[in-house]
Amino acid sequence: MNNPFKNSTLLKHPGILVTLILIIAMLIWGFWPKPIMVEVVKVKKAPLTVSIQEDGRTRVIDRYVITSPINGMTCRMHLKVGDTVTQGQNLLNISPLESQVLDARSRAQAQAQVSVANSALQAAKQQVVLAKANAKLASDKLKRYKPLLAKGLISQEAFDETKTAALTTQSQQRSATFAVEVAQFELQSAKTILNYSAAQPHNNNLERVPVNSPINGKILKVARKCEGPVITGEALLEVGDPTALEVEVDVLSADAVKIKPGMKVLFDRWGGLQPLEGVVRVIEPVGFTKVSALGVEEQRVWVICDFTSATQEWQRLGDGYRVEAQFILWQQDDVLQIPSSALFRYKDGWAVFKNVNNTAIRQEVKVGQRNGLSVQILSGLVEGESIINHPSDAVENNKTTKTRINN
């Protein structure tokens, strides 16, 4: 019987046969399902804290802005920021404003006003002399008419006219005297304008208004250090007690509704080794618009907090120091949890992939609180189970897996 493979080309050329077998083996190896490399984590119980973190800054609770009570000239400021002051201590003095410097035209006008006032005074004095003479004449005439009236030599009407004339001249005399006083004051006013000028030497006896500290504390801000004019209400200094501090934190309005007065706050990154503790005192009822670093307008709200840590722990802080506030919304010590990166959406809920004997098994779970990094598991998993972290699109149910070893 003839062998069909006796004259076969493959038997005559064994190299071709070997190559064909290798190609088939490589194809089988290439299309054979390979396990997917995954990262595996354990379901554990540990403390879980849900919080809101925002930057804040300290500020003095009672801050006093000292303003100028009058228009005047302040003296040179010798106090500096950080200097300690006591209640009632004189901080600075304010002198009255100096007169303007008279130019040639203004000085000539002032000199002319002095001459006019001097002439008016002389005229008023002459009017006094005339009024005195008229008054004496009327008085002498009245004295002569009195015995004549008694004897019936003159009528009552003539006597009354003489008496009225005497009273009138006396009033005119008093009026002329007052006119002299007015003329004297006008002359004095004209001389004052001429004599008192900023070009004249300073009078060291000028009255000064003292400005005193309202509290015991320290200088927080010096608005002006050099001597110069100020107006009423202009800010000069700010004083406060840096040992009485509070923290102001601006948070998103959507987060502010979750914060309540009395809520616990932790202050990190303030410069110390341990975080400081505090409590929310008030959430302001009015929001404001703030543009973020990305150029997005945000509605934010001020939240005011007080320190509850021992005073000596935060006394190194001052006004305007930066802190990082962490508002504790929810906290438990023994919580079943997994990384948030292990979750994925499935149907209308959440699910994870358990790693059972190097096989991915999809498991639906019910989640609770989450803080961005970890999530609370209410049902679906137990402590110690292995789950796949960061599952990729290649991970499917019942898919073979291989655990990645992290160095």
Side-chain angles (χ1 to χ4, degrees), residues 50-52 255-267 277-283 303-308 326-331:
V50 180
S51 62
I52 297 173
D255 292 334
V257 298
K258 304 175 186 178
I259 301 174
K260 299 179 181 179
M263 182 176 291
K264 183 179 179 181
V265 189
L266 295 178
F267 301 109
E277 295 184 0
V279 64
V280 175
R281 186 173 83 238
V282 64
I283 299 98
V303 178
I304 311 302
C305 309
D306 292 325
F307 288 108
T308 57
Q326 183 180 4
F327 299 92
I328 308 300
L329 303 180
W330 183 88
Q331 186 177 32

Side-chain angles (χ1 to χ4, degrees), residues 34-39 388 392 395 400-405:
K34 297 181 179 61
I36 300 174
M37 299 295 293
V38 294
E39 178 185 346
I388 298 175
S392 65
V395 179
T400 303
T401 63
K402 184 178 179 180
T403 302
R404 181 185 298 115
I405 299 176

Side-chain angles (χ1 to χ4, degrees), residues 76-349:
R76 181 175 178 82
M77 179 60 63
H78 298 287
L79 295 173
K80 299 179 182 179
V81 175
D83 288 350
T84 301
V85 295
T86 58
Q87 186 176 14
Q89 176 182 341
N90 179 254
L91 303 179
L92 72 158
N93 296 312
I94 301 178
S95 303
L97 289 174
E98 296 180 352
S99 303
Q100 296 182 352
V101 177
L102 297 178
D103 55 19
R105 177 180 176 181
S106 299
R107 182 169 292 278
Q109 289 177 340
Q111 291 172 347
Q113 289 295 329
V114 171
S115 300
V116 170
N118 190 29
S119 298
L121 176 60
Q122 298 302 323
K125 289 181 178 180
Q126 294 302 318
Q127 290 295 327
V128 170
V129 174
L130 177 61
K132 284 183 177 181
N134 292 333
K136 186 176 186 306
L137 177 62
S139 178
D140 293 343
K141 186 176 181 180
L142 181 62
K143 289 179 180 179
R144 291 195 305 268
Y145 274 28
K146 282 183 179 181
L148 295 177
L149 177 64
K151 295 178 180 181
L153 298 177
I154 60 173
S155 64
Q156 182 67 36
E157 181 180 359
F159 180 78
D160 291 341
E161 290 178 354
T162 304
K163 184 177 180 180
T164 300
L167 294 175
T168 301
T169 54
Q170 290 176 1
S171 297
Q172 290 175 348
Q173 181 184 356
R174 289 193 296 269
S175 178
T177 303
F178 292 147
V180 171
E181 294 181 0
V182 172
Q184 289 175 342
F185 289 135
E186 290 180 348
L187 177 61
Q188 183 179 358
S189 175
K191 290 181 178 179
T192 300
I193 296 175
L194 181 63
N195 296 332
Y196 286 88
S197 170
Q200 301 296 330
H202 294 281
N203 186 0
N204 294 328
N205 296 324
L206 290 176
E207 183 180 4
R208 291 179 173 84
V209 177
V211 178
N212 302 327
S213 173
I215 61 168
N216 296 327
K218 291 187 177 182
I219 302 294
L220 303 180
K221 183 179 179 181
V222 178
R224 56 187 307 154
K225 298 181 179 180
C226 299
E227 179 181 359
V230 293
I231 61 175
T232 303
E234 182 177 345
L236 303 175
L237 293 167
E238 289 187 20
V239 297
D241 184 5
T243 60
L245 293 177
E246 62 186 7
V247 180
E248 57 178 4
V249 186
D250 61 310
V251 303
L252 290 171
S253 58
D255 292 334
V257 298
K258 304 175 186 178
I259 301 174
K260 299 179 181 179
M263 182 176 291
K264 183 179 179 181
V265 189
L266 295 178
F267 301 109
D268 296 315
R269 299 185 180 180
W270 60 277
L273 299 178
Q274 300 296 328
L276 300 174
E277 295 184 0
V279 64
V280 175
R281 186 173 83 238
V282 64
I283 299 98
E284 293 190 355
V286 180
F288 60 95
T289 302
K290 181 179 180 180
V291 180
S292 67
L294 299 177
V296 180
E297 290 188 353
E298 299 175 340
Q299 289 302 118
R300 306 187 75 88
V301 178
W302 286 112
V303 178
I304 311 302
C305 309
D306 292 325
F307 288 108
T308 57
S309 297
T311 305
Q312 61 271 16
E313 295 182 12
W314 52 268
Q315 278 304 290
R316 288 173 290 173
L317 292 173
D319 182 59
Y321 283 38
R322 176 190 176 276
V323 297
E324 186 177 279
Q326 183 180 4
F327 299 92
I328 308 300
L329 303 180
W330 183 88
Q331 186 177 32
Q332 283 190 7
D333 294 332
D334 193 18
V335 179
L336 187 67
Q337 58 185 280
I338 62 172
S340 299
S341 54
L343 283 175
F344 61 90
R345 277 290 183 180
Y346 181 69
K347 295 181 179 180
D348 293 332

